[in-house]
Amino acid sequence: MFGTSLPCLTVPNKAKASRLELRGRQAKDPGTERYQYAPLGEHQIRVLSISIEPGTGFVVCNFDHRNLESSLGAYRAISYCWGDPTPSYRVKCGNGQSLLVTKSAAEILTLVLSRNTTDVYWIDQLCINQEDIVEKSAQVLMMGQIYSSTKQVIAWLGRGNADSKTAIDFVEMLYKEIEDIKLKGLQPTLTPILSLPVTIRTIVSERRLSRKCYPLTDFLKNPWFERAWVMQEVIMACAKIDDSSRLEPPVVVAFEKCSIGFGALAEVLRILETDNLLLALSYDKPDSDGTGGLGTEPPGLTAIRLFSRLRNDVSRHFPIRLYTGLSRAWDFKAGNDRDKLYAVRGFCEQVDNAAFRLDYAATVEDVYKTWTTALFERRDWYPWQLHMAGIGLRRSYTSLPSWVPDYSSSSPWVQLRPETSAGREGDYYRASGAPRMPEIIIDRLADSIRLRAIHIDKIEVIFRQPSMQMGSGLRYQISNQLLLNPDRKTYEARLEWLQSILNFLRASAPASEDNDNQAVQDLWQTIISNYNASEASPDGVFWEAFESWYRVLEFLAGNLRSSLIATFAMSRAGDVYNRTIMFETLKMKSLGDRPVFGTCQKRLLGYGPKGMLAGDVLCIVQGICTPFLLREDTSNAGDCEGTDKRWRVVGACYVHRLMYGEGTVMGEMKFRSDLKTENDTASLPQL
């Protein structure tokens, strides 16, 4: 019989337990027949109401069909993590049948929904027939509208613990402080109550602040913040509801015993970032998968920053392009690899349903190829997806052509996307010269594309950063790992890495003081991608920051009795400390933990994906804002005699003195079989 081995879900007895526990027991009338979903009509959704069976305490689910357009603000939607998909409980339905639910859904039914049996709810696990692929695909297409039409989104982060309550109370206290300051007509700041003024902050004060923020850091590591579907569930929440009459927050982040409005949480984190206090929220994450390391930013911090910005765009009716959504979803997780694409449809501008269709019956590889090809064919969109492609990045689906991104593999350092690749004076990179849409010829049968390109040079040597470098999961703020790691070998290895790069640069020019200074300048400008935030930050500021950073490395790698003594000494040198942290922050925002390379003939310096190799070809691709690395496919050499070579796309790269059109005078844009891939291989003109 259906589900006879699983207990039937009941409401906990509050009088007998200080902490509610999920309970279930065998029912005399078990309702072991599987619930039969009635078909949904066009533009209809299925909503859920809860009742408690008298005498038994069994949770009973009752479903109703509603027209979405006429149900504006008539239900609450649930956002949560599925967790383990294995059914743990049976839940009775009003018609005597029953459904199997996961532990996460059981928690929501008993600890959230059963407390308010007068409301109706929408929760995907129960309100969508998960066994009907046609219905599932249709409902997924409507999910942006479902969440924008809801009365409120309840973000369920799980049962929580004592630290969860501490974190929520901490945020509420900070938010109250911010609101009080605003009422006085002053600029909000949290520095006075959390830390010392920036001018006298030291390692000691940073550590004290970190201890205050431990529970908040733990809260921001909740898996809910990493879920791909959460993007549209928060971004689109209540978008169609008039805020002027709202008495409750559109999104509430909830544990079992505490909750807080998403807006309050976002505002607190915004002020912390303005005050340069986010260092205190970083933590040390094992770098086993390449997404962690010392000073890793908790995923919730990145997610809330993104959600707030895109919610603002939606409220102002600014269209969010599909390629923007896909690039932002890169760092999120999904149980189904197709959902890394499907999850962004609900908050992006309308696209051709035929080209960007939802098809759970198709293979993951086919979905990725179909969507990428359709994006290339949009001549009015820049082909940003090429920056996420290449065998130099981590890839799970090896059968994908190298020009198709593997969206399932969260590659922490996405290669220089055009919308984030601002270089000197805030300008965007334009390696191929004046802005111009690339000419892309697609061969669907051969899984190939063709592009114009200029052969610049080949990689001669690669300088891989020492293994003790901070992990690549870092984003906008970092911890002061440079001054906290007591291992002298760390600093010795970093100095050796820097010195080897300088030796390469110096070897290409006669020995002189000018050439030596030029080599040093090329080095630090490459490390920070020639970054210049504004006219208020001239190159001299960055040079001083690099000099402090380099001297600190020398100091900590010296023959002191203990690096901890050096750490203490440096913590008392405020200017040096601040400049060092400034340069380290810029380094992690640009270079990250990617390797640096030098080329053979033109002695260019740059950095690229971890999977690059000596001999890879450096090219400028027509219409593409950054240079690219390609690798010749020698396995098909015999088949290509007298024809164009075959190549694999390795990935995008930064090359100093090649980011603003300098390479366009180094050769001719050839267009024969320019970027042709087949079985993960590509073809460029005979170079």
Side-chain angles (χ1 to χ4, degrees), residues 89-284:
Y89 292 88
R90 275 187 308 111
V91 59
K92 298 185 70 175
C93 299
N95 63 355
Q97 298 173 334
S98 62
L99 283 170
L100 302 184
V101 297
T102 64
K103 182 180 178 180
S104 59
E107 287 182 346
I108 294 168
L109 288 171
T110 57
L111 304 178
V112 182
L113 308 194
S114 65
R115 294 175 175 176
N116 187 353
T117 58
T118 60
D119 261 329
V120 294
Y121 301 91
W122 189 90
I123 175 172
D124 61 351
Q125 188 176 149
L126 296 173
C127 294
I128 298 177
N129 184 356
Q130 300 294 330
E131 297 183 357
D132 186 338
I133 292 180
V134 175
E135 178 182 307
K136 183 177 179 180
S137 298
Q139 290 285 290
V140 168
L141 279 174
M142 296 170 58
M143 284 179 68
Q145 301 174 57
I146 291 172
Y147 279 90
S148 64
S149 303
T150 185
K151 179 196 303 184
Q152 185 183 57
V153 172
I154 301 174
W156 173 252
L157 271 62
R159 305 293 296 271
N161 52 34
D163 281 346
S164 305
K165 180 70 165 59
T166 301
I168 296 298
D169 290 345
F170 183 56
V171 172
E172 287 181 336
M173 181 270 290
L174 297 179
Y175 184 67
K176 184 178 183 302
E177 179 73 16
I178 292 170
E179 292 299 296
D180 288 346
I181 295 175
K182 287 181 179 179
L183 287 175
K184 297 175 183 177
L186 302 176
Q187 186 68 26
T189 178
L190 295 172
T191 299
I193 63 172
L194 288 180
S195 183
L196 296 172
V198 175
T199 55
I200 58 173
R201 277 161 56 190
T202 65
I203 292 176
V204 175
S205 66
E206 298 289 357
R207 283 174 169 169
R208 288 174 181 167
L209 177 57
S210 295
R211 284 196 293 271
K212 292 181 183 179
C213 294
Y214 283 159
L216 180 55
T217 299
D218 211 41
F219 163 66
L220 293 172
K221 290 156 58 179
N222 189 285
W224 179 81
F225 291 107
E226 300 182 87
R227 180 173 170 262
W229 284 108
V230 166
M231 295 180 67
Q232 74 168 354
E233 293 164 4
V234 175
I235 292 167
M236 297 302 296
C238 309
K240 296 182 179 180
I241 306 299
D242 181 13
D243 282 339
S244 61
S245 59
R246 177 174 295 282
L247 300 177
E248 54 189 3
V251 182
V252 59
V253 180
F255 292 102
E256 178 184 345
K257 295 186 176 181
C258 57
S259 62
I260 190 169
F262 175 84
L265 176 61
E267 178 66 1
V268 168
L269 294 178
R270 186 186 70 82
I271 299 300
L272 286 174
E273 184 166 21
T274 301
D275 289 344
N276 293 315
L277 295 174
L278 289 185
L279 293 173
L281 297 178
S282 60
Y283 70 106
D284 295 346

Side-chain angles (χ1 to χ4, degrees), residues 579-614:
R579 287 198 296 263
T580 300
I581 294 303
M582 172 188 177
F583 191 83
E584 183 75 1
T585 303
L586 290 174
K587 172 184 176 293
M588 295 312 300
K589 288 173 65 174
S590 54
L591 175 63
D593 66 348
R594 287 177 288 205
V596 174
F597 66 82
T599 66
C600 298
Q601 298 178 355
K602 296 181 172 61
R603 314 303 287 179
L604 297 169
L605 191 69
Y607 61 77
K610 289 184 177 181
M612 64 182 178
L613 299 174

Side-chain angles (χ1 to χ4, degrees), residues 51 80 88-89 128 163 169 194 197 369 411 454 500 638 661 666 683:
S51 61
Y80 68 108
S88 302
Y89 292 88
I128 298 177
D163 281 346
D169 290 345
L194 288 180
K369 284 192 293 185
S411 189
I454 298 174
S500 62
M666 296 182 182
S683 178

Side-chain angles (χ1 to χ4, degrees), residues 321 323-324 327 371-389 403 405 407 415-419 432 436-442 449-451 621-626 628 652 675:
R321 291 290 183 93
Y323 62 76
T324 300
S327 66
W371 278 52
T372 302
T373 301
L375 283 167
F376 275 132
E377 290 175 338
R378 291 288 298 256
R379 301 302 181 187
D380 56 329
W381 286 1
Y382 177 88
W384 65 268
Q385 62 273 23
L386 198 60
H387 294 266
M388 297 173 67
W403 51 271
Y407 300 94
Q415 301 297 295
L416 300 167
R417 294 189 300 256
E419 68 270 23
S432 61
R436 177 184 176 187
M437 291 302 293
E439 301 175 48
I440 304 176
I441 297 178
I442 302 171
I449 62 173
R450 290 158 53 93
L451 292 167
V621 182
Q622 181 258 319
I624 305 299
C625 67
T626 69
F628 261 78
L675 201 61

Side-chain angles (χ1 to χ4, degrees), residues 33 43 175 210 239 280 329 374 379 393 404 429 507 529-530:
E33 181 182 351
H43 304 302
Y175 184 67
S210 295
R379 301 302 181 187
L393 300 175
V404 175
Y429 297 136
S529 308
N530 201 18

